[in-house]
Amino acid sequence: MPLEPLRDGGDAVVAFRASGVLTRDDYREVLVPRLEAALAAGGRLRVLVLVDEAFRGWDLRAAWANTCLDLRHRRDFDKVAIVGAPAWERWCARAAGLVIAGRLRTFDRDRLHEAWTWVRG
């Protein structure tokens, strides 16, 4: 599965592992329902995405779904931590950081613990 929910987030953080190529179905079936459930529970979103070595990006429909999600929920994000992303993905993350109202940080994979601490704090 290209987008797998992680249970380490507890109640405060919505967390995922990204691998392979993300599709629109990953957004519709995995990401969006979990984000909307967290919003319904109250508060702003805290998200951690662990990008593994096999991550290759998005197909075109998933890229559009990602853009729409960022725009629709731009005021709902408090913190987003992206861990282990390749250099090109870090550039994409910085661009997304211009759209969302919350804070977005990238972390090297060996700093996963620091990312968890930051996104929870």
Side-chain angles (χ1 to χ4, degrees), residues 11-104:
D11 292 336
V13 179
V14 181
F16 303 93
R17 176 186 311 272
S19 179
V21 176
L22 300 183
T23 68
R24 184 173 65 175
D25 288 343
D26 293 316
Y27 280 78
R28 285 194 300 198
E29 297 170 13
V30 180
L31 184 68
V32 171
R34 291 190 183 271
L35 293 180
E36 289 180 350
L39 283 171
R44 294 178 69 205
L45 296 171
R46 293 179 179 216
V47 180
L48 183 137
V49 180
L50 176 59
V51 179
D52 73 19
E53 294 88 359
F55 180 70
R56 298 294 174 255
W58 306 262
D59 69 18
L60 187 57
R61 292 175 9 175
W64 178 248
N66 188 64
T67 301
C68 292
L69 177 76
D70 287 349
L71 291 172
R72 182 172 50 244
H73 291 293
R74 66 183 168 274
R75 294 185 193 337
D76 297 325
F77 289 98
D78 181 26
K79 292 182 178 180
V80 178
I82 300 175
V83 182
W88 65 267
E89 166 57 15
R90 288 177 186 229
W91 182 87
C92 293
R94 283 193 287 279
L98 298 173
V99 175
I100 66 171
R103 293 173 287 170
L104 185 143

